[in-house]
Amino acid sequence: MKSRLLWIRTLLVAAIVFVVLSQLLRPSLVGQWYWASALEKLEAGENDQAIELGQKAVDWSGDSAAMRMRMAELLYRVERNEEALALLEPAEESEEEDVTLLPMKNFLLSRMGEHERALALADDLIAAADEGKFHRHRALNNRAYATALALSDDAELPPEALEQAQKDIEEAIGIYGADASYLDTRGYVKHFAGDNEGAVGDLNVAIEIYQSLINQVEEEEDVWGTMKEMRLKQAQGMIGVLYHHRGEALKALGREEDAKRDFEQADKMGYSRQKGHW
């Protein structure tokens, strides 16, 4: 009887161990672990190790489009743009583009200075929204912001592009409301349209909203270890972008000292095209 109970207990333990190991060794989880390790190496400036770990994450993900997108971002950050661009192409000609990844791809192309491709992708996102595959207000904001980023790089755009960007962001706000990121887009578009007073007004409100968010996060308990720190860093990076945009508008108004303070605050908060706070 005892030997039988021992055998049953051993079998149960083996089954539990099998279940635990099968979960731990799931390709997606292993891929996520490699990716987290790659980001740690990237932040530490150990670029070669970051790339090696990132490639392992791609392999364990089954060469998924989402992980290739992340890897392209990593390669861009270490100034290996040609490899990054290659990863943005579908793995197979028959592979259908994942609509949810288009905004990330669009933004990465803008950061790389590939504005023509970024804006073409923004048009694709509008078309997807027209088919009910994506939120229209997000697609409109995406195209308006991509246009503003192109103008910030002095890219040659059709004369009607700026007017279309103004229409896009007004419609987006009309649908969704005065979200801080949408106010940022409208303010930045106004700057390029020459309405710098209007730009400062929108950006003032957006900065207030994000500052309230930062204050709220700072007061929260850090239940999950680094989660609070991550949320703070993300919010600070975003408000850094707003300060930089407002600084550009203030400079255009001739308010040099105010602009200088905003640019300094932007740098302090982590404004960086390379890191995606742009």
Side-chain angles (χ1 to χ4, degrees), residues 216-232:
Q216 181 181 333
V217 174
E218 286 177 337
E219 292 174 1
E220 292 176 357
E221 289 187 32
D222 195 359
V223 179
W224 296 102
T226 59
M227 186 62 69
K228 178 178 177 178
E229 182 182 344
M230 288 173 60
R231 290 181 63 204
L232 267 177

Side-chain angles (χ1 to χ4, degrees), residues 148 151-152 162 166 184-200 203 244-253:
L151 291 169
S152 74
L162 181 56
Q166 291 175 296
D184 170 47
T185 298
R186 188 170 71 178
Y188 207 32
V189 169
K190 283 180 179 179
H191 163 61
F192 290 109
D195 179 13
N196 287 293
E197 291 287 359
V200 170
L203 289 161
H244 200 280
H245 290 170
R246 190 174 69 178
E248 291 181 54
L250 289 168
K251 186 175 180 180
L253 289 168

Side-chain angles (χ1 to χ4, degrees), residues 69 88 97-99 101-110 114-128 139 142-143 146:
M69 184 78 68
L88 292 178
E97 193 100 63
D98 184 345
V99 174
L101 296 176
L102 291 184
M104 188 189 305
K105 183 176 180 179
N106 168 278
F107 185 48
L108 182 54
L109 286 168
S110 291
E114 297 284 336
H115 295 294
E116 186 175 346
R117 290 181 61 183
L119 287 166
L121 209 59
D123 289 338
D124 290 344
L125 201 55
I126 295 285
N142 185 272
R143 184 165 66 182

